[in-house]
Amino acid sequence: MKASKYYSFNFKKRPFQVFALASIILFVFSFFSNKSTSININNTSVVIWSDVIYRVLSGFLLLIWLLYIFIKKRLLSKKLIWAHAFATILPILAAIIYFNINQQYRLQSSKNNYWLYSLLLFFAVSAQFVLILNIAGGIVRRLTRKRGRTLIHDNP
């Protein structure tokens, strides 16, 4: 098998390649972003630059892509891969769009921003349970398939 054919962005055969594409886009976008946000905790103000956030998110998506590369034969279905991809990438994309749309509105209603970002982060993190379900279902399906050996739940 050719390496160029294997690593191409064929979303029909390998839908997890969406994570690599999103990771590349976020990493490139981090070079063109120079905004910052400050988080006030009690009397401490923490300033975070958006390029750091984009690179961390890019690394997170790249790790998910690498995980799919290593376990692709043990997964349950491609539909669960698509569900995981959309449930992970769309909240991240919504947070980035909301962060870049209107800076003056963000300064006036900072409490609403924290709730919105927390909700989007909750959706992106809870989407990782779809990945766990896909892996567990694939392992169970593989272990219970008959190939001339006894099943786990069979008594000898």
Side-chain angles (χ1 to χ4, degrees), residues 13-40:
K13 288 184 179 179
R14 293 176 295 278
F16 56 86
Q17 298 286 31
V18 173
F19 288 106
L21 182 65
S23 175
I24 292 169
I25 290 171
L26 274 176
F27 187 73
V28 169
F29 190 65
S30 72
F31 291 108
F32 300 109
S33 175
N34 60 358
K35 293 183 180 180
S36 67
T37 185
S38 64
I39 300 170
N40 294 321

Side-chain angles (χ1 to χ4, degrees), residues 6-7 16-17 64-73:
Y6 181 73
Y7 290 110
F16 56 86
Q17 298 286 31
I64 292 174
W65 175 71
L66 286 173
L67 180 66
Y68 271 116
I69 289 287
F70 290 123
I71 63 167
K72 67 180 177 247
K73 294 192 182 210

Side-chain angles (χ1 to χ4, degrees), residues 6-99:
Y6 181 73
Y7 290 110
S8 66
F9 288 116
N10 188 352
F11 298 120
K12 193 170 185 177
K13 288 184 179 179
R14 293 176 295 278
F16 56 86
Q17 298 286 31
V18 173
F19 288 106
L21 182 65
S23 175
I24 292 169
I25 290 171
L26 274 176
F27 187 73
V28 169
F29 190 65
S30 72
F31 291 108
F32 300 109
S33 175
N34 60 358
K35 293 183 180 180
S36 67
T37 185
S38 64
I39 300 170
N40 294 321
I41 302 170
N42 295 332
N43 291 331
T44 306
S45 179
V46 178
V47 178
I48 301 174
W49 291 94
S50 60
D51 61 342
V52 173
I53 294 172
Y54 296 150
R55 288 179 188 155
V56 167
L57 289 173
S58 174
F60 174 69
L61 293 176
L62 190 65
L63 285 175
I64 292 174
W65 175 71
L66 286 173
L67 180 66
Y68 271 116
I69 289 287
F70 290 123
I71 63 167
K72 67 180 177 247
K73 294 192 182 210
R74 290 172 179 82
L75 296 174
L76 185 61
S77 74
K78 288 183 183 178
K79 290 180 183 178
L80 286 175
I81 297 173
W82 280 114
H84 177 236
F86 285 131
T88 301
I89 294 172
L90 289 179
I92 292 172
L93 183 64
I96 289 171
I97 289 172
Y98 182 74
F99 181 74

